[in-house]
Amino acid sequence: MVLRQHHLDDQQFTLISKALADPKRFEMLQRIAHQGPAPTCTCLRESLQLAPATISHHLKELETAGLVHIQREGKFAHITLRREVWKAYLKRLSEI
Amino acid sequence: MVLRQHHLDDQQFTLISKALADPKRFEMLQRIAHQGPAPTCTCLRESLQLAPATISHHLKELETAGLVHIQREGKFAHITLRREVWKAYLKRLSEI
DNA sequence: TCATCATTTCGATAGGTATAGAAATGACGA
DNA sequence: TCGTCATTTCTATACCTATCGAAATGATGA
């Protein structure tokens, strides 16, 4: 799959950096990235051992940072990594 | 210059992520990385507009995370980016 | 309709942290 | 020796945030 290029402005760059700073949130992101089919909140909750409210909070941070896309279908929220954003973040970091 | 490989354990990885989460601190790191001759605290202070105590605080965070090396010579502290650590961090991020 | 389930929102709390003023430290030059 | 300068340490403060219980929301199936 070819990813469209994504441009990170300073604000988004900072939001992403902050999002990654919490170990639990980074672990969430890792699971989201690895999982083939888009995982749901409950799925993450089981592996991370956090309360639903906490999962939801972290998920919102990841979404606000633009790192994940959340597709809400009925009861479920299917989460996917926005790889073009991730790639842009890595690129910017590597240009330090 | 060839960089020896550096291994990041989980704790250092988290410390680095936290260190990067503050915009001022990231800006400090950028200046340290760009500057040819190792800059001093005062040098950073002028470009970042922060109190000496605050610069010193951020610098300690960067040092604790292993991101920078501080060579203290007389009155001055010369700061350099530890590029092998930076490289290891980028590598780990890219393996998500 | 009603109970159940996934998720979100609200509200509270405990702990973390960016900031800087003031004082301490330690080196340097006069 | 003494004043100055770069840096650090101490301490306080204001703000931020990770966490979760409880309640709300909204969909699903019986």
Side-chain angles (χ1 to χ4, degrees):
Chain A
M1 175 171 49
V2 179
L3 302 176
R4 203 178 338 157
Q5 257 207 89
H6 182 87
H7 175 72
L8 288 187
D9 59 21
D10 286 350
Q11 193 198 341
Q12 188 175 14
F13 179 76
T14 298
L15 284 177
I16 293 177
S17 297
K18 283 181 189 291
L20 299 182
D22 183 82
K24 298 271 188 180
R25 212 150 48 208
F26 181 71
E27 205 180 330
M28 274 182 71
L29 196 67
Q30 272 187 308
R31 295 200 180 268
I32 292 166
H34 282 134
Q35 216 99 359
T40 61
C41 289
T42 309
C43 180
L44 292 172
R45 187 190 162 191
E46 281 160 8
S47 45
L48 293 177
Q49 306 269 46
L50 292 173
T54 309
I55 293 284
S56 188
H57 162 70
H58 284 320
L59 202 52
K60 196 198 279 183
E61 300 279 306
L62 291 174
E63 191 185 22
T64 303
L67 279 173
V68 303
H69 173 69
I70 305 184
Q71 188 164 4
R72 291 167 224 270
E73 270 187 43
K75 289 196 290 187
F76 304 100
H78 294 282
I79 314 156
T80 48
L81 174 64
R82 292 184 57 189
R83 294 188 186 272
E84 79 283 7
V85 175
W86 183 243
K87 194 175 160 188
Y89 182 71
L90 287 182
K91 180 162 182 292
R92 172 121 176 218
L93 271 194
S94 71
E95 285 165 355
I96 193 178
Chain B
M1 176 171 49
V2 179
L3 302 176
R4 203 175 342 155
Q5 256 207 87
H6 182 86
H7 174 72
L8 288 186
D9 59 21
D10 286 351
Q11 192 199 338
Q12 189 175 13
F13 178 76
T14 298
L15 284 176
I16 293 176
S17 298
K18 282 181 190 290
L20 299 181
D22 182 82
K24 298 271 188 181
R25 212 150 47 207
F26 182 72
E27 204 180 329
M28 273 181 72
L29 197 65
Q30 271 187 309
R31 297 204 179 265
I32 292 166
H34 283 136
Q35 216 99 1
T40 62
C41 289
T42 308
C43 182
L44 292 172
R45 187 188 163 192
E46 281 161 7
S47 45
L48 293 176
Q49 306 269 47
L50 291 173
T54 308
I55 294 283
S56 187
H57 163 70
H58 284 320
L59 201 52
K60 195 199 279 186
E61 300 279 305
L62 292 175
E63 191 185 21
T64 302
L67 279 172
V68 303
H69 174 69
I70 306 183
Q71 186 163 6
R72 291 166 224 272
E73 269 188 42
K75 289 196 292 187
F76 303 100
H78 294 283
I79 313 156
T80 48
L81 175 63
R82 292 185 57 191
R83 294 189 185 271
E84 79 283 7
V85 175
W86 184 244
K87 196 176 159 188
Y89 182 71
L90 288 181
K91 181 162 181 291
R92 171 120 177 216
L93 272 193
S94 71
E95 286 165 353
I96 192 177

